Amino acid sequence: HHHHRHHHHRHHHHRHHRRPSLSPRPALPGLTRGLCGEQRIDNPEMYLAPLDEFAEAVEGDAPEVARFRPLLARTQLERAPLRLAFDAAAHGWAPAAFHARLATFGAAVLLGETEGGALFGAYNPKGWVGLGEEKGAQAAFLFTWPEGFTSAREAVKLRKAGGPALAVTDAPEVGPVVGVDALVVPLRAGAERAAKSRLGTYFERRPDGGRTLFSPAEGGKAQLRSLRAYVAEGGPEQWELDGIVWKTSREE
């Protein structure tokens, strides 16, 4: 019932195409508008993330990517080679650094480690563009190994709850916010490494009843040891937002 409130959001209708702007569109008179690329016909991301399917390894995966790759089954990144776009240790524990490294690059996987030893992450199908939007995404999910990595199949994978609404709050002045309070990493100056997690409203709570992504000792608040984000290899996507095509490259 939550999702009707945000249904007519100003930026709800952006679409992104990986197709370069000059390549011919399929000639389907009258259908192009409803088709929205390949989105409408057989898009697995219209559904909740599967819990019983695992993606296969992709050649060239870094060891860290290999840990979470199996969790990307039925996502647009399932078979995509991934690159490290943001690493707080290298690029800074700051919202501006986070958004600058991720804007225009589309779907992303966030990965963090807490001082208490939890390895956790989030899959954001819509990516971060830092335009202050609230984004709905049925296929978004969180994942965690509360006491440290064991194996991909033992990850606790938590699906979107309460419909697609508010999967991501993409605000330029804060770091990643997933599911309102499910995962909040403000990257606020003076408390750069602080993170909060409260599951159960916009994302499922853990099968053991746990309401946090973090270790048992940490509960709902943690200090982060690391924070990184991965995107598909390749150039920026082309965004069409309210009829305007934004083509941006943020490479320094």
Side-chain angles (χ1 to χ4, degrees), residues 25 27 52 68 71 83 97 114 127 144 173 177 182 194 201 222 233 236 250-251:
R25 312 278 331 203
D52 52 355
F68 64 76
L71 305 180
R83 67 174 179 87
T114 71
T144 184
E173 66 280 4
V177 176
T201 308
E233 271 180 17
R250 301 272 177 102
E251 288 158 37

Side-chain angles (χ1 to χ4, degrees), residues 4-242:
H4 295 300
R5 207 178 318 154
H6 300 279
H7 200 62
H8 298 292
H9 200 281
R10 203 155 42 102
H11 298 302
H12 194 70
H13 299 289
H14 71 223
R15 302 191 299 255
H16 57 272
H17 312 291
R18 281 189 187 276
R19 213 179 261 121
S21 46
L22 294 174
S23 68
R25 312 278 331 203
L28 293 170
L31 273 182
T32 9
R33 212 188 154 128
L35 272 175
C36 191
E38 296 76 51
Q39 297 291 303
R40 206 66 58 85
I41 300 165
D42 180 27
N43 174 11
E45 294 199 345
M46 292 192 301
Y47 307 103
L48 289 170
L51 295 179
D52 52 355
E53 289 178 54
F54 297 90
E56 287 175 29
V58 171
E59 203 181 335
D61 273 356
E64 185 167 81
V65 174
R67 291 177 161 191
F68 64 76
R69 169 72 69 185
L71 305 180
L72 295 177
R74 293 194 169 270
T75 68
Q76 56 186 296
L77 296 182
E78 178 167 5
R79 294 181 188 83
L82 300 181
R83 67 174 179 87
L84 180 61
F86 171 77
D87 182 351
H91 305 127
W93 292 84
F98 176 79
H99 289 287
R101 308 288 310 186
L102 287 168
T104 76
F105 291 108
V109 179
L110 189 70
L111 195 69
E113 193 178 3
T114 71
E115 290 289 354
L119 181 67
F120 70 91
Y123 170 62
N124 171 6
K126 299 290 175 79
W128 277 276
V129 287
L131 290 173
E133 303 175 79
E134 291 169 342
K135 297 177 173 179
Q138 188 83 312
F141 62 85
L142 296 167
F143 58 95
T144 184
W145 293 271
E147 302 190 58
F149 181 78
T150 51
S151 76
R153 286 172 184 259
E154 291 180 275
V156 180
K157 186 176 183 181
L158 304 163
R159 299 170 298 181
K160 188 71 188 67
L166 293 170
V168 175
T169 305
D170 183 11
E173 66 280 4
V174 293
V177 176
V178 183
V180 183
D181 56 358
L183 174 62
V184 183
V185 188
L187 299 175
R188 194 176 291 114
E192 294 86 352
R193 293 168 182 256
K196 291 194 286 196
S197 172
R198 188 174 179 279
L199 304 169
T201 308
Y202 292 98
F203 282 83
E204 298 173 318
R205 59 173 77 180
R206 281 158 41 180
D208 63 7
R211 300 201 67 163
T212 165
L213 293 170
F214 308 143
S215 70
E218 288 169 316
K221 290 184 179 176
Q223 292 292 314
L224 301 188
R225 252 184 229 170
S226 65
L227 184 68
R228 293 190 272 273
Y230 289 86
V231 297
E233 271 180 17
E237 300 189 327
Q238 172 180 316
W239 290 84
E240 189 183 304
L241 184 60
D242 290 351

